[in-house]
Structure formats: C-alpha cells, structure tokens
C-alpha cells in the first residue's frame, strides 16, 4: 500500500512539475531530491545550493525540482520525466538514485547528469561528493574530549560506503584522543523519519551515551539530546536552532559553489564527466561554529580543521587495522579515494557488527 | 530510572499515535466506510496543531486545532464518497496525497522552529505507584484520551444502541436503510470521528513525539494504523494490543542494536511488522469470528433508492 501511495505521489509530483515547465528559451537545470526541501538537513542543503545557482544566473536558467522522490523504481520514472521535459543538466541528489541515473542517462545521451555521492559514472554522468569524513573525524575528536562516559551514540541510516566511512572516521578521530572511546551504533534503516530517529536517540541515551551524532536527515535527534541535556552534532545543515545549548558543531554541506561552477561549464560548452570529491579545503564542506565547548576543545578542533585543510593531516593515516584484525593501512600510508568510496568494512575499534 | 522503565516510556510515546488513528479508523470502517486517507488526516492534524500552538503558545489549543483539522479534512472525504458517491479507495488515496501537499505548504513557515512539548499531567496518588505510576499516570493528556477512547469505543460499539446501528450499517446498509436508520448521516459522523482521531494522532506527533514540524513527519504511521485495524479484525482491544506490540518491538529492536547483539539490522527493522502481523493473525485465527467482525459493506457505496 505504501509503495502504491509513493508511486501515486511521485506521479502527482511529476505532473505538477510538467505543468509548471513552460518557458523554452531558458536552460533548465533540474534537481531530484530524496526528501522534503525543508527537512532542515540533507535536502535543504541541496535546495540552498539550487537557490544560490538560480540567484547567480537569474533569468538565464530555470531550476525545477522534484521533492520526496523515493529511492528505487520510482526514482527512475521521476528522473526520466525530468530528462524528457527538456532539462539540460539533472542533479540527482541521493546515493540511492545511482542505478536509476545511469539507466536514464543511457536513454538520453544528450542530457547531462550529475549524481551525488555515488561511484558509477558514464560519458554524460558525472559524480560529485563531499569529503564528509573529514568533518566526522573532527567530531570524533570533540566527542572524545567532551564525553564524561567515553561512549557516543551514532544514528546511522543505511549500511552504504558513505555511512560506514563516516562511522570509521568518527571512531578513528575519537580514539586518536582517547584510545578506549566507544561508539554505539543504531541503524535506523531510513533517511527520514523524525519519530524513529527520536526513538533511536532515546534508546542510545537510555543505554548511557552522553554524546550523539547522526547520519539521518532530521533535527529530531538533536531535539531529544537537548531535552535530555546531552551534547550532539548536527548533520548536513547547521542545526543550532534545534539545540542552541546542545549542538557542538555540524557538518554543513555547501553545494552552491559547485552547482554554479558546473552550470557555467555547461553553458560554456566545457562540461565534462568528472568524478569530483572535494572537502574542507574546497569549501564544499564547512563546519558550523564550534559551540557549547571549552576553549581548549575548540582550539583542538580548529587546529585539526586547519591541518586537514592544508593537507597536513589525512583522517585515515596508517597504521590502521580492519575490524577483523587484518592490516588495512601501513604506517604513514593513506588510502586511495576508490577504496574509501567503496568502504564496506569497519576499522578496528568500532564496537558494532556491520550489517551485510 | 531503570532501563526497562525508560524503554516502556518510549514505547508508550511510539504506540499512542498508532492506537489513536487506528481506533478512529475502526469506527469509520465499522460503519462500512473505508477511508485510506488516514495518513493525510494525520499530517493535517500535525501541522495545524503545531501552527496553533505557535500562534497561541498553548499546546491545548494545538490539540483542538489538530482534532478540528483532521475532522474537517475527513469531511471533504465524506462529501466526495458519501454525497457524491465517489470511489472510496481512490478518494482516500487522493486525500493522503492532498494532505501531504497542503501540510507542507502550511508548514513551510514553521520548519526549524522548536515547538512546545505537551506537559505531562501527574494524577495525584496513582502516579506515586512504583514502576506503573510514572508509566501510566504521569503522561500527557493525549495518552489519557487514547486509552479512554479505546474503552469508550469498545463500550459504544458493543453495548450501546447507537453502536449497534453503526455495526448494522456496516454489515448491510440496505437492510439498515429499510429499518429507517439514517445510513448517510451516521456514516458522516463515523467518518468525522475517524478524522478527529487521526488529527489527534497527528497532534501527538508534533506536540509530544517530536515537538517540531517537519514535512512528511507522519512517515507512514497512518498506513500502519490502517493495517492494524484489519489485522485486529475490527476489535478495539486488539487495536490497542497491536499498537503497543508494534511500538514495543520497534523500540526493543533499537535497543538490541545499541547493545550490539549482532543481529542484522535489516531484519530487526522488519521485526515490528512481522511480529504484529503474526500475533494479530494468531489471535484472530477463528475464521467464523473474523467473518462476523468484518463489516460486510466495507467500501461499498450506498445510494438510497427511495
């Protein structure tokens, strides 16, 4: 029943979009969102990027978008409608749109696609991603300094490389400060369900964590953390409004500059399929102000951030073992991007069993 | 506060919206009307409750707005399916889509605002009972209403004259009509009751569960409530049991994960659905009783011929 509803909702959204698409002389830069554009997290960050893009080019472009497109077969239909409606460039902004994007791109060789956070590309499909793990490493260090109990709670969404990499980076950062630091992980198996995210937050706090971090999209965990008087990290957008005395910092995605750059290339005719993976130094990822922490912790965080920016520090620098005890990185060795993007294993020190 | 108590408190919060929406839909369906728009009415209740609370500062005004919003929205469904005799399934689905859309529009101004949480009301004396006290007698108003509604609806449907009429209409609207019972009028009232309950469930989401407004925040709970009604074979007590079982398994699986028991999380996430369906099917296994309890005119339009 829910599937049917989602299908209907998608078709309704698509129809609404088709009706609004009229002016033909403007270049259409289109967006597919997995959540609502006002979710306060992931999708909102993309929509802020889209607004920046629209403001930059003004009358020259149109930026239609589809919200709340479910990952799966419906996504393919939604992307195809977008391509058919005359979009020159389509940004598909969730990992789960990967296969659908590739499939539709094969049918529309003249339309350019950009898929966020994936690892499959084609001559007309570029990928773009942000090195979120850099921010998670900093968060891990802060958590280890701020936690009284030495245990943090981690609300994860789906066991995809992106999320696994985040957990690894967080744990590695925390254990660089306190080698005994522990992380409890709950897989919510959803990106977006405020109630379930809040339940997960409550469960973690009831089991004794005193720092919370999340890889899901709403501010509900932050709100629970505020209510229970512990500290937490925001995700994708600055969530300080949900927890003025709770948020330590947040990983803030700033996609606008990238969207503007790629659209400019498209209009100039210099757009190429690339695999872009930028981080703190490129400004695609920024840290929300370090708040609710003592000055020495703040200074440590700022120092780490500066070192990552300058390239002096790579969060994953050997020696690092895998969870099963086998060697992953030798002393001083840094991982290749391809390995990180396909990360499907925990590193030593993560106290959870990875769902397969 | 012990861990068991903490878990149970979370279960109560998770189960209350399901029980509320399901008990309302149960009355609607007992009158022979299938309203698939529970999700839409719920989300309308959630946004209006949040908006009214922000405007007045009182979550109690919010509760009223949630109830009123859900009821008003169900009236639209009633008009289309009862007066204009539109298809109930299609209209219900449309109601859900419409509700999700309109609520997003209304709620745009409220995104990111921190809400006001409905305060718990301790019942003097009873709330002092160890363990049970804080769990059952130190809750918010909406929880008390949800329990009262289950008791009330059970009494009303099976012990009162009006309840008998509702069941008669649901089982055979032509005969009920021949007996002089106002089929359409009664169905309107049943639909309104369902809408009010779904609206109240929505208010619980935006005032108690997660006191904030996020688009789409009901996240499928209306559909779970609908399924609960069917698997509970239209019996109020079973709806209550099913709602709490679903809540209990949902919360326990989160704790099992946090404990690191090593059970695959995908299986754990599916567990609430599996457990609830299996248990409710088992307790409703008597085919004859299930047939008796199923409203025979469910979903069928009624047009009085004279």
């Amino acid at each position: 029943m829910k599937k049917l509803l989602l299908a209907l909702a998608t078709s309704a959204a698509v129809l609404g979009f088709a009706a609004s698409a009229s002016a033909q002389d403007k270049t259409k830069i289109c967006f597919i969102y997995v959540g609502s554009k006002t979710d306060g997290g992931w999708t909102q960050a993309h929509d802020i990027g889209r607004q920046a893009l629209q403001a930059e080019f003004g009358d020259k472009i149109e930026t239609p978008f589809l919200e709340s497109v479910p990952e799966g077969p419906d996504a393919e239909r939604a992307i195809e409608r977008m391509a058919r409606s005359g979009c020159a460039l389509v940004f598909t902004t969730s990992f789960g749109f990967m296969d659908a994007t590739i499939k539709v791109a094969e049918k529309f060789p003249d339309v350019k696609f950009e898929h966020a956070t994936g690892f499959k590309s084609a001559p007309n499909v570029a990928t773009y991603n942000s090195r979120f793990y850099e921010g998670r490493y900093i968060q891990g260090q802060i958590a280890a300094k701020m936690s009284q109990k030495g245990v943090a709670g981690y609300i994860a969404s789906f066991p995809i490389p992106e999320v696994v990499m985040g957990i690894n980076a967080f744990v590695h950062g925390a254990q660089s400060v306190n080698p005994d630091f522990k992380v409890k992980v709950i897989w919510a198996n959803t990106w977006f369900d405020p109630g379930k995210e809040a339940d997960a937050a409550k469960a973690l706090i009831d089991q004794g964590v005193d720092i919370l971090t999340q890889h899901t999209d709403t501010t509900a965990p932050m709100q629970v953390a505020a209510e229970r008087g512990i500290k937490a990290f925001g995700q994708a957008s600055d969530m300080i409004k949900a927890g003025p005395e709770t948020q330590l910092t947040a990983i803030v995605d700033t996609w606008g500059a990238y969207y503007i750059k790629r659209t400019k290339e498209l209009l100039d005719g210099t757009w190429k399929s690339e695999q872009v993976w930028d981080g703190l130094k490129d400004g695609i990822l920024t840290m929300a102000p370090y708040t609710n922490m003592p000055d020495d912790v703040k200074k440590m965080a700022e120092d780490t951030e500066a070192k990552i920016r300058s390239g002096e520090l790579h969060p994953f620098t050997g020696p690092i073992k895998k969870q099963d005890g086998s060697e992953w990185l030798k002393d001083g060795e840094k991982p290749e991007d391809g390995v990180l993007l396909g990360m499907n294993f925990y590193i030593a020190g993560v106290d959870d069993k990875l769902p397969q | 506060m012990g861990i068991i108590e903490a878990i149970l408190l979370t279960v109560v919060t998770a189960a209350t919206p399901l029980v509320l929406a399901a008990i309302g839909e149960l009355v609607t369906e007992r009158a022979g009307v299938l309203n698939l728009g529970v999700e839409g009415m719920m989300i309308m209740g959630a946004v209006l409750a949040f908006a009214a609370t922000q405007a007045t500062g009182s979550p109690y005004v919010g509760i009223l707005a949630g109830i009123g919003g859900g009821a008003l929205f169900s009236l639209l469904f009633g008009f289309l399916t009862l007066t204009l005799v539109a298809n109930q399934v299609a209209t219900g689905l449309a109601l859900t889509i419409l509700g999700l859309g309109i609520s997003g529009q209304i709620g745009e101004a409220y995104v990111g605002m921190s809400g006001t949480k409905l305060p718990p009301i301790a019942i003097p004396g009873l709330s002092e009972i160890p363990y049970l006290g804080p769990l059952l007698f130190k809750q918010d108003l909406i929880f008390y209403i949800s329990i009262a509604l289950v008791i009330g609806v059970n009494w009303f449907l099976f012990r009162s004259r009006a309840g008998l009429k509702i069941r008669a209409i649901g089982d055979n609207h032509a005969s009920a009509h021949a007996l002089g019972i106002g089929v359409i009028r009664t169905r309107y009232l049943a639909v309104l009751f369902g809408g009010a309950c779904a609206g109240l469930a929505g208010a619980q989401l935006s005032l108690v569960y997660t006191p904030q407004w996020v688009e789409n925040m009901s996240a499928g709970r209306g559909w779970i409530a609908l399924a609960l009604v069917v698997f509970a074979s239209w019996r109020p007590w079973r709806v209550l049991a099913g709602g709490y079982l679903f809540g209990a398994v949902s919360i326990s699986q989160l704790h099992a994960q946090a404990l690191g028991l090593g059970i695959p999380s995908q299986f754990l996430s599916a567990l609430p659905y599996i457990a609830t369906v299996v248990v409710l099917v088992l307790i409703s296994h008597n085919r004859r009783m299930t047939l008796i309890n199923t409203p025979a005119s469910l979903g069928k339009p009624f047009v009085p011929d004279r």
Side-chain angles (χ1 to χ4, degrees), chain B residues 153-269:
Chain B
V153 164
N154 193 60
W155 176 85
F156 173 78
L157 279 179
F158 301 105
R159 293 279 177 275
S160 81
R161 201 179 159 76
L164 181 67
K165 282 184 186 170
I166 287 189
R167 286 188 292 132
I169 292 169
D171 275 334
N172 190 332
H173 47 217
S175 305
H177 178 64
L179 285 172
I181 304 173
V183 173
I184 299 296
R185 202 195 46 184
T186 312
R187 283 192 170 167
Y188 258 109
L189 292 174
V191 165
L192 273 174
F193 180 77
C197 287
L200 182 58
Q204 196 267 3
L205 294 181
S206 64
L207 298 178
V208 179
Y209 206 152
T210 49
Q212 57 174 316
W213 165 252
V214 196
E215 207 177 321
N216 226 338
M217 70 187 292
S218 47
R221 284 181 181 76
W223 296 107
I224 297 171
L226 266 166
L228 272 178
V229 177
V230 178
F231 285 114
S233 56
W234 295 271
R235 306 286 295 192
W237 289 114
R238 290 183 193 167
V239 160
L240 184 74
Y244 274 80
L245 181 70
F246 187 89
V249 181
S250 315
I251 303 302
S252 313
Q253 70 94 357
L254 295 173
H255 277 275
Q257 286 198 43
L259 282 172
L261 297 183
I263 307 164
S265 66
Q266 294 92 335
F267 172 72
L268 286 172
S269 285

Side-chain angles (χ1 to χ4, degrees), chain B residues 287-302:
Chain B
R287 247 182 79 78
R288 217 169 59 87
M289 285 310 288
T290 306
L291 272 177
I292 290 173
N293 278 317
T294 308
S297 299
L298 185 61
K300 292 184 188 147
F302 176 69

Side-chain angles (χ1 to χ4, degrees), chain B residues 273-285:
Chain B
Y273 301 88
I274 301 170
T276 310
V277 169
V278 168
V279 169
L280 288 178
V281 165
L282 283 180
I283 57 176
S284 320
H285 72 285

Side-chain angles (χ1 to χ4, degrees), chain A residues 138-147 152 170 174 181 211 233 248:
Chain A
I138 301 172
Q139 291 185 348
Q141 288 196 326
I142 297 171
K145 284 271 188 199
M146 295 295 294
S147 171
F170 183 84
F181 198 80
I211 299 266
F233 296 103
L248 294 163

Side-chain angles (χ1 to χ4, degrees), chain A residues 135 138-139 142 213 222 232-235 237-240 246-252 286-293 301 305:
Chain A
I138 301 172
Q139 291 185 348
I142 297 171
T213 190
M222 178 68 70
F233 296 103
Q235 152 73 4
S237 294
D238 192 342
M239 295 181 170
I240 191 81
T246 306
Q247 181 178 285
L248 294 163
T249 181
I251 296 171
V252 181
T286 50
M287 301 302 282
Y290 298 108
T291 47
N292 297 312
M293 63 180 85
E305 187 183 337

Side-chain angles (χ1 to χ4, degrees), chain A residues 133-134 136-137 140 164-174 315-316:
Chain A
Y133 68 88
E134 295 177 343
R136 297 219 176 255
Y137 182 84
V164 175
M165 181 171 34
I167 296 172
N168 282 333
F170 183 84
V171 171
H172 196 53
F316 293 113

